[in-house]
Amino acid sequence: MKILHTADWHLGQLFHEYDRTFEHQAFLNWLIETINSEEIEVLLVSGDVFDISNPSATSIKMLYTFLREATAQNSNLQIVITAGNHDSASRLEAPKPLLESSNIHIIGTIEKNSDGSINYEKLTIPLRNKLGEITIWCLAIPFLRMGDYPSVANASNPYSEGVTALYREAFEFAKTRMSDNQTIIAMGHMHTHHAEISDMDKTERLIMGGVECISATAFDSEMKYVALGHIHKAQRIGGKEHIRYSGSPLPMSFSERNYKHQVVIFELENEITSLKTLEIPVTIPLLRIPLKAEPLENVLVELQQLHDKNDFEQAPYLEIQVLLEEPEPALRYKIEEVLKYKNVRLARIQPYYPNKKESTSEFNQQELLHELQPVDVFTKSYQAKYSAEVPEHLMELFQQTLIDVNQTEA
């Protein structure tokens, strides 16, 4: 059977407040074309279908339009979707009654039996070949929250050991369903040990201070493939060709600007063959000017060289890096004036201060705010951010503001 693995679509995401519907629709159109041209039989989507737990009507319509068109054009296509940490597990599962007669399986929640044990039958999806014979059992396991996984007695790390126990028990359950010439694959949405991550992964994807990292040894060696989501950089885990993150189809931040966004395609009978990756076409590029921060005067000159407006729908997102000696109140205005007729979307202005060193602010001494005067807080904050004394004109403005506030309160 020929399988395509993807994840982390984040439908509905705003990129620095810019709507990305155009980009997401272009990806879904490309994905349908790829499913057709590659004659894909199974599509695996490993979590974070939506960017937020309460997605917009546009995002929901986009997903179900895709499902309808993909299955209409490929009557034998089987689709397995699991929930990620950005998805509402119950909301994602809500349409299941309408999909029960189709080859679309959506798994969001971990259901328990009357005795409190996990219902592994719900998580074990049979995948059939063109003759209607079951050839693969898929462990469709969504993002696991506290209470979803078994409790392990005397665990030093209840989360990672609980998740490992769940995958072990799910695998043992699937083995009871197996017959000759059948194999097992698994899906997951998690952070694994040694995964390479972006700045956004660091700030948004870690959920429990790092203790949620799962080892590749959690997946039984007899599992033929493990389709992972959660980390946006496509990569193998633990040096294993068959344990992979597909990565996100679109860059979620400027730190992901140079990622190769892709899907993974492979054939599976008793073993994996013909594994390859297909790079997803870039619809709207991310542009960084300059590549290394320079003084504002130089940056403005470089911005002047940009193309004038033509096709704003596909205009690049622009991040500007500028070197400043001190705060520049008119920074955004000066940049926006230059870009007024340029074919870019200003997404981010990143200032850098050459004198900034590791903060030595007295705030590190855990002073209580009520022990400090407003001018002390202002001075310490400024020094912590810019590693310099507050300029006289700024201090005069601050003092005047204090006077105005005090007069208003009086």
Side-chain angles (χ1 to χ4, degrees), residues 166 178 201 216 230 297 320 365 385:
L166 185 144
M178 281 180 65
D201 287 319
H230 193 50
E297 295 76 12
I320 295 173
Q365 298 176 10
K385 185 169 185 178

Side-chain angles (χ1 to χ4, degrees), residues 112-174:
K112 301 291 180 71
N113 299 312
S114 58
D115 62 357
S117 61
I118 293 173
N119 181 356
Y120 286 111
E121 185 170 5
K122 176 196 174 185
L123 304 176
T124 309
I125 309 297
L127 300 176
R128 302 174 184 273
N129 62 17
K130 293 176 180 177
L131 299 177
E133 303 165 334
I134 297 174
T135 58
I136 300 171
W137 293 94
C138 177
L139 304 181
I141 299 175
F143 176 73
L144 297 171
R145 293 175 168 83
M146 188 177 297
D148 286 341
Y149 45 84
S151 177
V152 179
N154 302 316
S156 58
N157 187 330
Y159 184 83
S160 64
E161 292 179 47
V163 171
T164 299
L166 185 144
Y167 273 89
R168 181 178 63 251
E169 293 176 9
F171 178 75
E172 292 302 324
F173 176 85

